[in-house]
Amino acid sequence: MQQRNPGGDRQIFIQEVCPRDGLQNEAVFVSTEDKIALINQLSACGFAKIEVTSFTSPKAIPALKDAEEVMKNIRRNPAVEYSVLVPNLRGAERAMACLIDEANLVMSASASHNFTNLRMSREASVEQLSLVINALKGSSAAINLSLSAAFGCPFEGDVAEATVLRLIEHFALREVRGITLCDTTGMAYPSQVASLCRQVKQQFPQLEITLHFHDTRGMALANTLAALGEGINRFDAATGGLGGCPYAPGASGNVCTEDMVHMLTLMGYQTGVNLESLLEISRDLPRLIGHNVPGSLARAGMRSDLHPMPASLEQQFKGCVPAGVQL
Amino acid sequence: MQQRNPGGDRQIFIQEVCPRDGLQNEAVFVSTEDKIALINQLSACGFAKIEVTSFTSPKAIPALKDAEEVMKNIRRNPAVEYSVLVPNLRGAERAMACLIDEANLVMSASASHNFTNLRMSREASVEQLSLVINALKGSSAAINLSLSAAFGCPFEGDVAEATVLRLIEHFALREVRGITLCDTTGMAYPSQVASLCRQVKQQFPQLEITLHFHDTRGMALANTLAALGEGINRFDAATGGLGGCPYAPGASGNVCTEDMVHMLTLMGYQTGVNLESLLEISRDLPRLIGHNVPGSLARAGMRSDLHPMPASLEQQFKGCVPAGVQL
């Protein structure tokens, strides 16, 4: 970081995951109509990509049981890629029927986390996702793999870098477009992020790499900074900082989109995201989900949102003629 | 950041400000007995310095009206420096009578913020603090200057780097030991932090430089990372993330000590702080102040605090023989 605005107009792609990763963790069912309205609003904010929903079994994630209806009824902005989570072949068929732009496959870098989430071994996940990839290749959908627990597992602890790299290799051989390194339960720390990003970029220069942080332990923006330093240009984030993990109680959610965009913009990076519009959406989220959001900016306002001086002091201040040393 | 543990055993000095900057913003009066017990507990955690209280007028900050009683009755650990905030000559006299280790003077880098906080111009503050410095030089107390709003003013917005550097020069000429660059209302961003730190270190190599961040807009740990990258080794932080600013409503508090120590430790830096003891103290704070604390770690636990797998899955997982591709 050599100058005050190291961004130097570098383009950063922000991928909004609130409608999927955020809402799937909420106790209330947000109505299909409200979901569609939310996504339509987000579509006008300047995101590179929006993760719309998940084509999992409605029994597994009832919050997103309206996946088809949402995906088919949103107003698509041609400048935005619409991605959906696809866990298996059945999900891929449902997703392709909705003409998605991207299928986001998912498995975990840790054996116990993969088993807990997907009820199978990692080896079985790789095989099953290979079939999903084959099926998707008949469509125009791009394919991304989200690798959960890539920076640590809430049950096992550390996950070896070598394991993460070997898993990525399996999917690179199957020619997915991108890989997302997911810090599912907020275990990543900046030097670890830098190290893994460097190796993944070096070994797989053909892949589009996304970083997906959770702010569980307050390090999400520090981790973002570390990833930026390694040339990473794509980040997942959720408006309001919604999200979480059912197996890590007390954990807070995804990195908050407006907090991330605010920091990146101050640093001179170009995200294309309209922060004012995004803040309006974030401040309306409590109406949909019934509680306050964890992100900072909706509460504190932007750095440029100044406050008035206490009225009783303002007149005195204006009349105060500085005396004494020369400043 | 070239390796996974860039810390390489580098020593970082953590200066705990919860008893002063944290408690002064609380609506409840924490009893003198509880304050002393809190500081005694913090004294056993391994901090380089603890800011104990403030020798301001009890009318201005009633929460700290017991400054003498607290300062005289804590059990001092010889490994810890005990600092107090000193706003003026009267405060300096009261502080010296308590045999403090360090006097922390304060003024603001912004004219309107200085007037709001101290009811005088910055020029008058420099003159008045020069008298305070002269008075303190007759004692054994070290002298630090905390420069508020060094990264932006909640009333005026940007504060020029040149202004900050010029103010520091006035105090460097008066031979203070250290300067603290305070991000009083959370307006600092990483590239700005890096730039100012670099210039201050370059122009004033003789000064001990401390960074004091607030997490108002979620950037406190990212800013810490930026300062570390410029060779900064001293940070203020408040257990639980207590603190705030009366003129910036909705703002959250100081960077949370346990969140900062947790990140630094993971990165291989040596802080000397016992994180387990600190978390115990943080989890006891709601009893003293009557509300939850904003920091992350007290809620989420450390990265190394693993969770059990859901019991219903654990047996199945143990019996699951991975089949398919070789990982």
Side-chain angles (χ1 to χ4, degrees):
Chain A
M1 197 178 299
Q2 286 309 309
Q3 68 275 19
R4 182 144 174 182
N5 285 321
D9 294 334
R10 180 172 141 200
Q11 175 75 36
I12 306 294
F13 301 93
I14 308 290
Q15 309 182 160
E16 173 60 42
V17 302
C18 176
R20 199 280 300 172
D21 203 2
L23 295 188
Q24 82 172 26
N25 281 287
E26 292 300 322
V28 297
F29 179 78
V30 174
S31 76
T32 306
E33 197 186 352
D34 280 340
K35 280 181 190 137
I36 293 169
L38 170 65
I39 295 161
N40 286 345
Q41 287 176 301
L42 291 168
S43 284
C45 282
F47 291 111
K49 196 188 282 183
I50 296 175
E51 195 174 37
V52 174
T53 186
S54 174
F55 284 97
T56 34
S57 144
K59 271 184 212 142
I61 306 183
L64 302 181
K65 64 183 177 193
D66 51 5
E68 271 90 353
E69 214 181 329
V70 171
M71 193 60 223
K72 284 183 174 158
N73 287 293
I74 53 172
R75 216 170 31 246
R76 295 209 201 179
N77 175 345
V80 180
E81 252 191 38
Y82 294 91
S83 181
V84 299
L85 195 126
V86 166
N88 51 33
L89 263 183
R90 175 80 192 99
E93 282 157 17
R94 291 169 61 201
M96 285 188 287
C98 295
L99 303 175
I100 55 160
D101 296 322
E102 183 194 74
N104 186 21
L105 318 188
V106 63
M107 70 167 287
S108 178
S110 121
S112 57
H113 190 262
N114 199 68
F115 193 84
T116 303
N117 247 356
L118 304 168
R119 305 287 195 274
M120 65 181 86
S121 69
R122 291 174 298 178
E123 290 79 359
S125 276
V126 170
E127 300 254 301
Q128 195 187 88
L129 292 179
S130 299
L131 301 178
V132 174
I133 290 168
N134 288 343
L136 287 164
K137 287 208 164 148
S139 80
S140 62
I143 304 171
N144 187 75
L145 174 83
S146 277
L147 198 56
S148 307
F151 297 94
C153 164
F155 313 125
E156 294 176 40
D158 282 327
V159 170
E161 276 189 351
T163 305
V164 173
L165 293 168
R166 212 153 53 233
L167 280 166
I168 294 175
E169 196 177 14
H170 279 285
F171 291 93
L173 288 171
R174 285 160 183 83
E175 294 177 350
V176 300
R177 179 180 66 173
I179 292 279
T180 302
L181 299 171
C182 300
D183 182 28
T184 312
T185 60
M187 296 176 73
Y189 53 95
S191 50
Q192 178 196 29
V193 168
S195 172
L196 187 59
C197 288
R198 198 176 321 123
Q199 296 197 57
V200 172
K201 278 195 63 120
Q202 216 163 49
Q203 287 190 39
F204 307 101
Q206 77 279 23
L207 290 178
E208 205 174 87
I209 309 295
T210 298
L211 270 285
H212 175 111
F213 294 121
H214 281 234
D215 200 33
T216 318
R217 293 169 178 90
M219 292 185 278
L221 289 184
N223 288 331
T224 302
L225 198 61
L228 285 167
E230 297 298 328
I232 299 294
N233 287 326
R234 291 189 174 268
F235 295 93
D236 283 351
T239 299
L242 294 198
C245 175
Y247 310 116
S252 69
N254 288 270
V255 61
C256 173
T257 313
E258 57 269 30
D259 292 7
M260 179 186 268
V261 168
H262 181 250
M263 180 179 88
L264 293 173
T265 305
L266 287 169
M267 293 179 75
Y269 295 103
Q270 301 299 316
T271 66
V273 177
N274 183 319
L275 201 46
E276 285 83 1
S277 308
L278 186 56
L279 269 172
E280 254 181 65
I281 298 173
S282 179
R283 286 174 175 148
D284 190 41
L285 281 176
R287 183 181 62 81
L288 299 186
I289 58 177
H291 60 83
N292 287 333
V293 300
S296 298
L297 220 60
R299 256 177 304 122
M302 291 189 258
R303 182 184 194 271
S304 54
D305 292 339
L306 302 184
H307 299 276
M309 277 181 81
S312 61
L313 290 174
E314 204 171 0
Q315 281 311 312
Q316 288 179 51
F317 174 61
K318 284 180 177 159
C320 161
V321 179
V325 299
Q326 189 79 32
L327 285 190
Chain B
M1 197 178 296
Q2 287 307 308
Q3 68 274 20
R4 182 144 173 182
N5 286 320
D9 294 334
R10 181 171 140 201
Q11 176 74 36
I12 306 294
F13 301 92
I14 308 290
Q15 309 182 160
E16 173 59 42
V17 302
C18 176
R20 200 279 302 170
D21 202 3
L23 296 187
Q24 82 172 25
N25 281 287
E26 292 299 322
V28 297
F29 178 77
V30 174
S31 77
T32 307
E33 197 186 352
D34 281 340
K35 279 182 190 134
I36 292 169
L38 170 65
I39 294 161
N40 286 345
Q41 288 177 300
L42 291 169
S43 285
C45 283
F47 291 111
K49 197 187 283 183
I50 297 175
E51 195 174 36
V52 173
T53 186
S54 175
F55 285 96
T56 35
S57 144
K59 270 185 213 143
I61 306 184
L64 302 182
K65 65 183 176 193
D66 51 6
E68 272 89 354
E69 214 181 330
V70 171
M71 193 60 222
K72 284 183 173 159
N73 287 292
I74 52 172
R75 217 169 32 244
R76 295 210 202 179
N77 175 345
V80 180
E81 251 191 39
Y82 295 91
S83 182
V84 299
L85 196 127
V86 166
N88 50 33
L89 263 182
R90 174 80 193 100
E93 282 156 17
R94 291 169 62 201
M96 285 187 287
C98 295
L99 304 175
I100 54 158
D101 297 322
E102 183 194 75
N104 186 21
L105 317 188
V106 63
M107 70 167 286
S108 179
S110 121
S112 58
H113 191 261
N114 199 68
F115 193 85
T116 303
N117 247 356
L118 304 167
R119 305 288 194 273
M120 65 181 84
S121 69
R122 290 173 299 177
E123 291 78 1
S125 277
V126 170
E127 301 254 301
Q128 195 187 87
L129 292 179
S130 298
L131 302 178
V132 174
I133 290 169
N134 288 344
L136 286 163
K137 287 210 164 146
S139 80
S140 63
I143 304 170
N144 187 75
L145 174 83
S146 278
L147 198 55
S148 307
F151 297 94
C153 165
F155 314 125
E156 293 177 39
D158 283 325
V159 170
E161 277 188 351
T163 305
V164 173
L165 293 167
R166 211 154 52 232
L167 280 166
I168 295 175
E169 197 177 13
H170 279 284
F171 291 93
L173 288 171
R174 285 160 182 83
E175 295 177 348
V176 301
R177 180 181 64 174
I179 293 278
T180 302
L181 300 171
C182 299
D183 182 28
T184 313
T185 60
M187 296 176 73
Y189 53 94
S191 50
Q192 179 196 30
V193 169
S195 172
L196 187 58
C197 287
R198 199 176 320 125
Q199 296 198 57
V200 173
K201 278 195 62 122
Q202 217 163 46
Q203 287 190 40
F204 308 102
Q206 76 278 24
L207 290 178
E208 205 175 86
I209 309 295
T210 297
L211 270 284
H212 175 112
F213 293 121
H214 282 233
D215 199 32
T216 318
R217 293 170 177 90
M219 291 185 280
L221 290 183
N223 287 331
T224 302
L225 198 61
L228 285 167
E230 297 298 328
I232 297 296
N233 288 326
R234 291 189 173 267
F235 295 93
D236 283 352
T239 299
L242 294 198
C245 177
Y247 310 116
S252 70
N254 287 270
V255 61
C256 172
T257 314
E258 58 268 30
D259 292 6
M260 179 186 269
V261 169
H262 181 251
M263 180 179 88
L264 292 173
T265 305
L266 287 169
M267 294 179 75
Y269 294 103
Q270 300 300 316
T271 66
V273 176
N274 183 320
L275 200 46
E276 284 84 0
S277 308
L278 187 55
L279 269 172
E280 255 181 63
I281 298 172
S282 179
R283 287 173 174 149
D284 190 42
L285 281 175
R287 183 180 63 80
L288 299 185
I289 57 176
H291 61 82
N292 287 332
V293 299
S296 297
L297 220 60
R299 256 177 303 121
M302 291 189 257
R303 181 183 193 272
S304 55
D305 292 340
L306 302 184
H307 299 277
M309 277 181 81
S312 61
L313 289 175
E314 204 171 359
Q315 281 311 313
Q316 289 178 52
F317 174 61
K318 282 179 177 159
C320 160
V321 179
V325 298
Q326 190 79 33
L327 284 190

Coordinates of all heavy atoms in Angstrom, one line a residue, chain A residues 66-114:
Chain A
D66 N -39.4 -21.1 -2.4 CA -40.0 -20.4 -3.6 C -38.9 -20.1 -4.7 O -39.1 -19.2 -5.5 CB -40.7 -19.2 -3.2 CG -39.8 -18.3 -2.3 OD1 -38.6 -18.6 -2.2 OD2 -40.3 -17.2 -1.8
A67 N -37.9 -21.0 -4.8 CA -36.8 -20.7 -5.7 C -37.2 -20.4 -7.1 O -36.8 -19.4 -7.7 CB -35.8 -21.8 -5.6
E68 N -38.0 -21.3 -7.7 CA -38.5 -21.1 -9.1 C -39.2 -19.8 -9.3 O -39.0 -19.1 -10.2 CB -39.4 -22.3 -9.5 CG -38.7 -23.5 -10.1 CD -38.3 -24.5 -9.0 OE1 -38.5 -24.2 -7.8 OE2 -37.8 -25.6 -9.4
E69 N -40.2 -19.6 -8.4 CA -41.0 -18.4 -8.5 C -40.2 -17.2 -8.5 O -40.5 -16.2 -9.2 CB -42.1 -18.5 -7.4 CG -43.4 -17.9 -7.8 CD -44.4 -18.0 -6.7 OE1 -44.3 -18.9 -5.8 OE2 -45.3 -17.1 -6.7
V70 N -39.3 -17.1 -7.5 CA -38.4 -15.9 -7.4 C -37.6 -15.8 -8.7 O -37.6 -14.7 -9.3 CB -37.5 -16.0 -6.2 CG1 -36.5 -14.9 -6.2 CG2 -38.3 -16.0 -4.9
M71 N -36.9 -16.8 -9.1 CA -36.0 -16.7 -10.2 C -36.7 -16.3 -11.5 O -36.2 -15.6 -12.3 CB -35.3 -18.1 -10.4 CG -34.1 -18.1 -11.3 SD -32.7 -16.9 -10.8 CE -32.3 -16.2 -12.4
K72 N -37.9 -16.8 -11.6 CA -38.7 -16.6 -12.9 C -39.3 -15.2 -12.9 O -39.7 -14.7 -14.0 CB -39.7 -17.6 -13.1 CG -39.1 -19.0 -13.6 CD -40.2 -20.0 -13.9 CE -39.5 -21.2 -14.5 NZ -40.4 -22.4 -14.3
N73 N -39.5 -14.6 -11.7 CA -40.3 -13.3 -11.7 C -39.5 -12.1 -11.4 O -40.0 -11.0 -11.4 CB -41.4 -13.5 -10.7 CG -42.5 -14.4 -11.3 OD1 -43.2 -14.0 -12.3 ND2 -42.6 -15.5 -10.7
I74 N -38.2 -12.2 -11.2 CA -37.4 -11.0 -11.0 C -37.2 -10.3 -12.3 O -37.3 -10.9 -13.4 CB -36.0 -11.3 -10.4 CG1 -35.3 -12.4 -11.2 CG2 -36.1 -11.7 -8.9 CD1 -33.8 -12.6 -10.8
R75 N -37.0 -9.0 -12.2 CA -36.7 -8.2 -13.4 C -35.2 -8.2 -13.7 O -34.5 -7.6 -12.9 CB -37.2 -6.8 -13.2 CG -37.8 -6.1 -14.4 CD -38.5 -4.8 -14.1 NE -37.9 -4.0 -13.0 CZ -38.6 -3.8 -11.9 NH1 -39.8 -4.2 -11.6 NH2 -38.0 -3.1 -10.9
R76 N -34.8 -8.9 -14.7 CA -33.3 -9.0 -14.9 C -32.7 -7.8 -15.5 O -33.1 -7.3 -16.6 CB -33.0 -10.2 -15.7 CG -33.4 -11.5 -15.1 CD -32.5 -12.6 -15.6 NE -33.1 -13.9 -15.4 CZ -32.5 -15.0 -15.8 NH1 -31.4 -15.0 -16.3 NH2 -33.1 -16.2 -15.5
N77 N -31.6 -7.3 -14.9 CA -30.8 -6.2 -15.4 C -29.7 -6.9 -16.3 O -28.9 -7.7 -15.7 CB -30.2 -5.4 -14.3 CG -29.3 -4.3 -14.7 OD1 -28.8 -4.3 -15.8 ND2 -29.0 -3.4 -13.8
P78 N -29.6 -6.6 -17.5 CA -28.6 -7.3 -18.4 C -27.1 -7.1 -17.9 O -26.2 -7.8 -18.3 CB -28.8 -6.7 -19.8 CG -29.9 -5.7 -19.7 CD -30.4 -5.6 -18.3
A79 N -26.9 -6.1 -17.1 CA -25.5 -5.8 -16.6 C -25.2 -6.7 -15.4 O -24.1 -6.7 -14.9 CB -25.4 -4.3 -16.2
V80 N -26.2 -7.4 -14.9 CA -26.0 -8.2 -13.7 C -26.0 -9.7 -14.0 O -26.9 -10.1 -14.8 CB -27.1 -7.9 -12.6 CG1 -26.9 -8.8 -11.4 CG2 -27.1 -6.5 -12.3
E81 N -25.1 -10.5 -13.4 CA -25.2 -12.0 -13.6 C -26.1 -12.5 -12.4 O -25.9 -12.2 -11.3 CB -23.8 -12.6 -13.4 CG -23.3 -13.1 -14.7 CD -22.1 -13.9 -14.6 OE1 -22.0 -14.7 -13.6 OE2 -21.2 -13.8 -15.4
Y82 N -27.0 -13.4 -12.8 CA -27.9 -14.0 -11.8 C -27.5 -15.4 -11.5 O -27.5 -16.2 -12.4 CB -29.4 -13.9 -12.2 CG -29.8 -12.4 -12.2 CD1 -29.7 -11.7 -13.4 CD2 -30.3 -11.8 -11.1 CE1 -30.0 -10.3 -13.4 CE2 -30.6 -10.4 -11.1 CZ -30.5 -9.7 -12.3 OH -30.8 -8.4 -12.3
S83 N -27.0 -15.6 -10.3 CA -26.5 -16.9 -9.9 C -27.4 -17.6 -8.9 O -28.1 -16.9 -8.2 CB -25.1 -16.7 -9.2 OG -24.5 -17.9 -8.9
V84 N -27.4 -18.9 -8.9 CA -28.2 -19.6 -7.9 C -27.3 -20.8 -7.3 O -26.5 -21.3 -8.0 CB -29.5 -20.2 -8.5 CG1 -30.4 -19.1 -9.0 CG2 -29.2 -21.3 -9.5
L85 N -27.6 -21.1 -6.1 CA -26.9 -22.3 -5.5 C -27.5 -23.6 -6.0 O -28.8 -23.7 -6.0 CB -27.0 -22.2 -4.0 CG -25.9 -23.1 -3.3 CD1 -25.1 -22.3 -2.3 CD2 -26.6 -24.3 -2.6
V86 N -26.7 -24.5 -6.4 CA -27.1 -25.8 -6.9 C -26.4 -26.9 -6.2 O -25.2 -27.0 -6.3 CB -26.8 -25.8 -8.5 CG1 -26.9 -27.3 -9.0 CG2 -27.7 -24.9 -9.3
P87 N -27.1 -27.7 -5.4 CA -26.4 -28.7 -4.6 C -26.3 -30.0 -5.2 O -25.4 -30.8 -4.9 CB -27.3 -28.8 -3.3 CG -28.6 -28.5 -3.8 CD -28.5 -27.5 -5.0
N88 N -27.1 -30.3 -6.2 CA -27.2 -31.7 -6.8 C -27.8 -31.6 -8.2 O -28.2 -30.6 -8.7 CB -27.9 -32.6 -5.9 CG -29.3 -32.0 -5.5 OD1 -29.9 -31.3 -6.2 ND2 -29.7 -32.3 -4.2
L89 N -27.9 -32.8 -8.8 CA -28.5 -32.9 -10.2 C -29.9 -32.4 -10.3 O -30.2 -31.7 -11.2 CB -28.5 -34.4 -10.6 CG -27.3 -34.8 -11.5 CD1 -27.5 -36.3 -11.9 CD2 -27.2 -34.0 -12.7
R90 N -30.7 -32.8 -9.3 CA -32.1 -32.3 -9.3 C -32.1 -30.8 -9.3 O -32.9 -30.1 -10.0 CB -32.8 -32.9 -8.1 CG -34.2 -32.4 -7.8 CD -35.2 -33.1 -8.7 NE -36.5 -32.4 -8.7 CZ -37.0 -31.6 -9.6 NH1 -36.2 -31.3 -10.7 NH2 -38.1 -31.0 -9.5
G91 N -31.3 -30.2 -8.4 CA -31.2 -28.7 -8.3 C -30.7 -28.1 -9.7 O -31.2 -27.1 -10.1
A92 N -29.8 -28.8 -10.3 CA -29.3 -28.3 -11.6 C -30.4 -28.3 -12.6 O -30.5 -27.3 -13.4 CB -28.1 -29.2 -12.1
E93 N -31.2 -29.3 -12.7 CA -32.3 -29.3 -13.6 C -33.3 -28.2 -13.4 O -33.7 -27.5 -14.3 CB -33.1 -30.7 -13.5 CG -32.3 -31.8 -14.2 CD -32.7 -33.2 -13.7 OE1 -33.7 -33.3 -13.0 OE2 -31.9 -34.1 -13.9
R94 N -33.6 -28.0 -12.1 CA -34.6 -26.9 -11.7 C -34.0 -25.6 -12.1 O -34.7 -24.7 -12.6 CB -34.9 -27.0 -10.2 CG -35.7 -28.2 -9.7 CD -35.7 -28.3 -8.2 NE -36.3 -27.1 -7.6 CZ -36.1 -26.8 -6.3 NH1 -35.3 -27.5 -5.5 NH2 -36.7 -25.7 -5.8
A95 N -32.7 -25.4 -11.8 CA -32.0 -24.1 -12.1 C -32.0 -23.9 -13.6 O -32.3 -22.8 -14.1 CB -30.6 -24.1 -11.5
M96 N -31.6 -24.9 -14.4 CA -31.5 -24.7 -15.9 C -32.9 -24.3 -16.5 O -33.0 -23.5 -17.4 CB -30.9 -25.9 -16.5 CG -29.4 -26.1 -16.3 SD -28.7 -27.4 -17.3 CE -29.3 -28.9 -16.4
A97 N -33.9 -24.9 -15.9 CA -35.3 -24.5 -16.4 C -35.6 -23.1 -16.2 O -36.5 -22.5 -16.8 CB -36.3 -25.4 -15.7
C98 N -34.9 -22.4 -15.3 CA -35.1 -21.0 -15.0 C -34.1 -20.1 -15.7 O -34.1 -18.9 -15.5 CB -35.0 -20.7 -13.5 SG -36.3 -21.5 -12.5
L99 N -33.3 -20.7 -16.6 CA -32.4 -19.9 -17.4 C -31.5 -19.0 -16.6 O -31.3 -17.8 -16.8 CB -33.1 -19.0 -18.4 CG -34.1 -19.8 -19.4 CD1 -34.9 -18.8 -20.2 CD2 -33.3 -20.8 -20.2
I100 N -30.8 -19.6 -15.6 CA -29.9 -18.9 -14.7 C -28.6 -18.5 -15.5 O -28.3 -19.2 -16.5 CB -29.5 -19.8 -13.6 CG1 -28.9 -21.1 -14.1 CG2 -30.6 -20.0 -12.6 CD1 -28.1 -21.9 -13.2
D101 N -27.9 -17.5 -15.0 CA -26.6 -17.1 -15.7 C -25.5 -18.0 -15.1 O -24.5 -18.2 -15.8 CB -26.3 -15.6 -15.4 CG -27.3 -14.7 -16.1 OD1 -27.8 -15.0 -17.2 OD2 -27.7 -13.7 -15.4
E102 N -25.6 -18.3 -13.8 CA -24.5 -19.1 -13.2 C -25.1 -20.1 -12.2 O -26.0 -19.7 -11.5 CB -23.5 -18.1 -12.5 CG -22.3 -18.9 -11.9 CD -21.5 -18.0 -10.9 OE1 -22.0 -17.8 -9.8 OE2 -20.4 -17.6 -11.2
A103 N -24.5 -21.3 -12.2 CA -24.8 -22.2 -11.1 C -23.6 -22.2 -10.2 O -22.5 -22.4 -10.6 CB -25.0 -23.6 -11.7
N104 N -24.0 -22.1 -8.9 CA -22.9 -22.0 -7.8 C -23.0 -23.4 -7.1 O -23.9 -23.6 -6.3 CB -23.2 -20.9 -6.9 CG -22.1 -20.7 -5.9 OD1 -21.0 -21.2 -6.1 ND2 -22.4 -20.0 -4.8
L105 N -22.1 -24.3 -7.4 CA -22.1 -25.6 -6.7 C -21.4 -25.4 -5.4 O -20.7 -24.5 -5.2 CB -21.3 -26.6 -7.6 CG -21.6 -26.6 -9.1 CD1 -20.9 -27.8 -9.7 CD2 -23.0 -26.6 -9.4
V106 N -21.6 -26.4 -4.5 CA -21.1 -26.2 -3.2 C -20.6 -27.5 -2.6 O -21.3 -28.6 -2.7 CB -22.1 -25.5 -2.2 CG1 -23.3 -26.3 -2.0 CG2 -21.4 -25.1 -0.9
M107 N -19.4 -27.5 -2.0 CA -19.0 -28.6 -1.1 C -18.0 -28.0 -0.1 O -17.7 -26.8 -0.2 CB -18.4 -29.8 -1.9 CG -17.0 -29.5 -2.5 SD -16.2 -31.0 -3.0 CE -15.7 -31.8 -1.5
S108 N -17.6 -28.8 0.9 CA -16.8 -28.3 1.9 C -15.4 -28.8 1.9 O -15.2 -30.0 1.5 CB -17.5 -28.6 3.3 OG -16.7 -28.2 4.3
A109 N -14.4 -28.0 2.3 CA -13.1 -28.5 2.3 C -12.8 -29.4 3.5 O -11.8 -30.1 3.5 CB -12.1 -27.3 2.4
S110 N -13.7 -29.4 4.5 CA -13.5 -30.3 5.6 C -14.5 -31.5 5.6 O -15.6 -31.3 5.2 CB -13.7 -29.5 6.9 OG -14.7 -30.0 7.7
A111 N -14.0 -32.6 6.0 CA -14.8 -33.9 5.9 C -16.0 -33.8 6.8 O -17.2 -34.1 6.3 CB -14.0 -35.1 6.3
S112 N -15.8 -33.3 8.0 CA -17.0 -33.3 8.9 C -18.0 -32.2 8.6 O -19.2 -32.4 8.7 CB -16.5 -33.1 10.4 OG -15.7 -31.9 10.5
H113 N -17.5 -31.1 8.1 CA -18.4 -30.0 7.7 C -19.2 -30.4 6.4 O -20.4 -30.2 6.3 CB -17.7 -28.7 7.5 CG -18.6 -27.5 7.3 ND1 -18.9 -27.0 6.0 CD2 -19.2 -26.8 8.2 CE1 -19.7 -26.0 6.2 NE2 -19.9 -25.8 7.5
N114 N -18.5 -31.1 5.5 CA -19.2 -31.6 4.3 C -20.3 -32.6 4.7 O -21.4 -32.6 4.2 CB -18.2 -32.3 3.3 CG -18.7 -32.4 1.9 OD1 -18.9 -31.3 1.3 ND2 -19.0 -33.6 1.5

